[in-house]
Amino acid sequence: MKVYKVVPVSYSVVISKNSNATTAIENYFDVINQEAAAGWEFVSATPFSVKRNVGKFKFRDETYQAFIFCQEA
């Protein structure tokens, strides 16, 4: 039987004007490699949004990537 784990990762990555997309993607690889070192296998990534309550009747949309991992139980 497999068990699954979801790790939310910030969707927005800010890079300097001298950097390229590879630099931004390396941040995602760090998360994947960290989980792999703990025995989790990367399955998929999917975007998801949440609304954060920032005051009475005020909400802010936040977008993340949900990294899905699995391992044998």
Side-chain angles (χ1 to χ4, degrees), residues 2-3 7-8 10-11 14 17 19 25 34 38 41 43 50 54 66-70:
K2 290 187 178 187
V3 291
V7 177
S10 177
Y11 190 72
V14 178
K17 65 180 179 179
S19 299
I25 295 299
Q34 179 180 358
E41 180 182 346
V43 175
V50 296
V54 294
F67 283 12
I68 303 167
F69 298 88
C70 73

Side-chain angles (χ1 to χ4, degrees), residues 1 7 9-10 12-14 16 20-21 23 26 37 43 49 54 58-59 64 67:
M1 180 175 130
V7 177
V9 180
S10 177
S12 298
V13 178
V14 178
S16 70
N20 58 31
T23 304
E26 286 174 357
V43 175
S49 296
V54 294
K58 294 182 183 179
F59 299 91
Y64 296 90
F67 283 12

Side-chain angles (χ1 to χ4, degrees), residues 26-40:
E26 286 174 357
N27 294 328
Y28 287 159
F29 286 138
D30 290 343
V31 174
I32 294 169
N33 288 331
Q34 179 180 358
E35 295 299 328
W40 292 92

Side-chain angles (χ1 to χ4, degrees), residues 38-60:
W40 292 92
E41 180 182 346
F42 179 75
V43 175
S44 178
T46 186
F48 73 97
S49 296
V50 296
K51 290 194 180 294
R52 182 172 302 277
N53 186 334
V54 294
K56 191 172 186 176
F57 306 114
K58 294 182 183 179
F59 299 91
R60 179 179 67 221

